[in-house]
Amino acid sequence: MELAGTWNLEVSTPFGKHPATLVFERGGDGSLNGRIDSRLGNAPLLNLSTNGGGFDALVTMDFQGRGYEAAIGGLTLLSPEDGRPLLNNLT
C-alpha cells in the first residue's frame, strides 16, 4: 500500500498525549521522504525504510533544551468499515 500522503495520529510521551501528523512524500526519483509535525516540534524521519506495507524510521527532536530520539514504525491496512487506508501497530 502506498504510504505517500498525510496521516493523523496521537503520540504518547512522558509529557502526555499529543496530536501529530506524519507526512510522506515521493521525491522525483521515487524515493520516500517523511516528517512528523506536532505541538512538540517538527522533525524529518531519518533512516526511513519501507517493509511490505509499512515503515521504520528514527525521529530526533529537541524539547525544552533536551534532545530526544525515538524509533517509529507502523503497518498499513484497509479499514474494514470503509476501505480507507489506516496505519496500524504504530510504535
Side-chain angles (χ1 to χ4, degrees):
M1 179 176 301
E2 177 60 56
L3 284 170
T6 301
W7 302 82
N8 296 315
L9 58 126
E10 186 174 79
V11 177
S12 294
T13 73
F15 311 107
K17 292 183 179 181
H18 304 278
T21 304
L22 284 175
V23 179
F24 294 100
E25 299 172 323
R26 288 269 172 211
D29 62 357
S31 63
L32 186 65
N33 301 298
R35 70 178 190 275
I36 187 168
D37 299 330
S38 76
R39 292 187 318 203
L40 299 176
N42 305 323
L45 298 182
L46 306 172
N47 301 329
L48 178 59
S49 64
T50 58
N51 51 23
F55 76 97
D56 291 299
L58 291 175
V59 175
T60 58
M61 191 176 290
D62 289 330
F63 182 69
Q64 296 182 341
R66 186 170 175 202
Y68 294 89
E69 182 176 279
I72 185 171
L75 298 172
T76 57
L77 56 87
L78 295 177
S79 167
E81 288 110 30
D82 58 14
R84 290 180 309 124
L86 302 172
L87 279 177
N88 189 38
N89 296 330
L90 192 62
T91 58

